[in-house]
Amino acid sequence: MSSSLVVGVSGSPSDPSRTSTLVTATVDRLAAELPDAETVVVEIGPLLADLGAAVDREHMSDTTRAALEAVEAADVLVVGSPAFRAAYSGAFKLFFDWIGQYDLVDTPVLLTATGGSDRHALLVEHQMRPLFGFFQSTTLPLAVFGNERDFDKRVGGYDIASVDLELRIDQAVRRAMPIIRGGFVAAGVDEVRRPAEF
């Protein structure tokens, strides 16, 4: 198998964002297991005005179209959302409303989420897994949830401050790899699908 495209999507409208920190860490951990992996992390926040105002993709900026195309071209997706009203964010849903209905069929998807407390942890099972069921994606067995205590704020962003969260990321990736590798073999992946720059 040659290189693969690992794409992360952070559904947080905030900057800086704990969700973005978690998604990026998970993408990096996955890429470490995949030889020559190319990685892209999509931040939905800066795309919101475009996603909400456009009537079709032709009326979107090149940056927004490239973000959507990167997700549709992904060999592996890592998606994340902060908890809003016991569900994923409206920003997260709006972005995936623009993704082609059949463009994520069989794509492995590792689910992540963040919230103020562990009471929001079932967001990934009760909200996110059904959404990617609609897309006929392969949601990977273990999701990763981080609460506020798992992160330290620093100038310009957040750092993961919890060994437990790092271990959860590692366990989710290790459990995912046999499925991801098996899917690549079955699909006969032999070339990189590169998104446009954005």
Side-chain angles (χ1 to χ4, degrees), residues 20 26 32 41 47-48 58 74 78 81 86 89-90 96 102 155 173 177 180-181 192 194:
S20 296
T26 307
V41 176
L47 310 178
L48 280 176
E58 296 304 312
V78 176
S81 175
S89 69
F96 281 98
Y102 301 108
V155 175
V173 169
M177 288 314 301
I180 291 169
R181 288 193 176 109
V192 181
R194 300 188 186 279

Side-chain angles (χ1 to χ4, degrees), residues 82-150:
F84 277 99
R85 312 288 185 184
Y88 41 68
S89 69
F92 184 84
K93 180 62 164 63
L94 179 60
F95 181 85
F96 281 98
D97 282 346
W98 284 103
I99 295 295
Q101 181 174 349
Y102 301 108
D103 288 323
L104 302 183
V105 171
D106 294 333
T107 301
V109 181
L110 200 158
L111 306 172
T112 74
T114 58
S117 77
D118 290 340
R119 290 175 295 177
H120 297 290
L122 287 177
L123 155 67
V124 289
E125 303 301 332
H126 293 285
Q127 302 291 329
M128 298 176 80
R129 225 175 267 282
L131 174 63
F132 291 95
F134 164 81
F135 284 112
Q136 302 176 56
S137 304
T138 301
T139 53
L140 295 165
L142 294 183
V144 182
F145 180 83
N147 64 43
E148 289 184 1
R149 297 186 309 277
D150 291 323

Side-chain angles (χ1 to χ4, degrees), residues 4-185:
S4 51
L5 176 61
V6 181
V7 178
V9 179
S10 171
S12 175
S14 303
D15 181 22
S17 162
R18 294 178 186 90
T19 303
S20 296
T21 300
L22 176 56
V23 167
T24 300
T26 307
V27 165
D28 290 345
R29 180 65 185 82
L30 264 171
E33 297 290 329
L34 296 167
D36 303 317
E38 177 184 2
T39 63
V40 174
V41 176
V42 174
E43 302 277 352
I44 292 177
L47 310 178
L48 280 176
D50 211 13
L51 292 167
V55 294
D56 56 42
R57 285 202 190 188
E58 296 304 312
H59 290 85
M60 292 179 180
S61 69
D62 291 343
T63 299
T64 303
R65 282 198 305 273
L68 294 167
E69 289 164 5
V71 170
E72 292 169 345
D75 294 304
V76 184
L77 274 179
V78 176
V79 300
S81 175
F84 277 99
R85 312 288 185 184
Y88 41 68
S89 69
F92 184 84
K93 180 62 164 63
L94 179 60
F95 181 85
F96 281 98
D97 282 346
W98 284 103
I99 295 295
Q101 181 174 349
Y102 301 108
D103 288 323
L104 302 183
V105 171
D106 294 333
T107 301
V109 181
L110 200 158
L111 306 172
T112 74
T114 58
S117 77
D118 290 340
R119 290 175 295 177
H120 297 290
L122 287 177
L123 155 67
V124 289
E125 303 301 332
H126 293 285
Q127 302 291 329
M128 298 176 80
R129 225 175 267 282
L131 174 63
F132 291 95
F134 164 81
F135 284 112
Q136 302 176 56
S137 304
T138 301
T139 53
L140 295 165
L142 294 183
V144 182
F145 180 83
N147 64 43
E148 289 184 1
R149 297 186 309 277
D150 291 323
F151 300 90
D152 277 340
K153 190 157 182 18
R154 60 171 168 78
V155 175
Y158 291 93
D159 292 317
I160 293 177
S162 163
V163 172
D164 285 344
L165 181 55
E166 291 175 349
L167 290 173
R168 291 196 297 273
I169 294 169
D170 186 67
Q171 184 180 30
V173 169
R174 284 189 291 107
R175 286 285 303 278
M177 288 314 301
I179 297 167
I180 291 169
R181 288 193 176 109
F184 286 163
V185 170

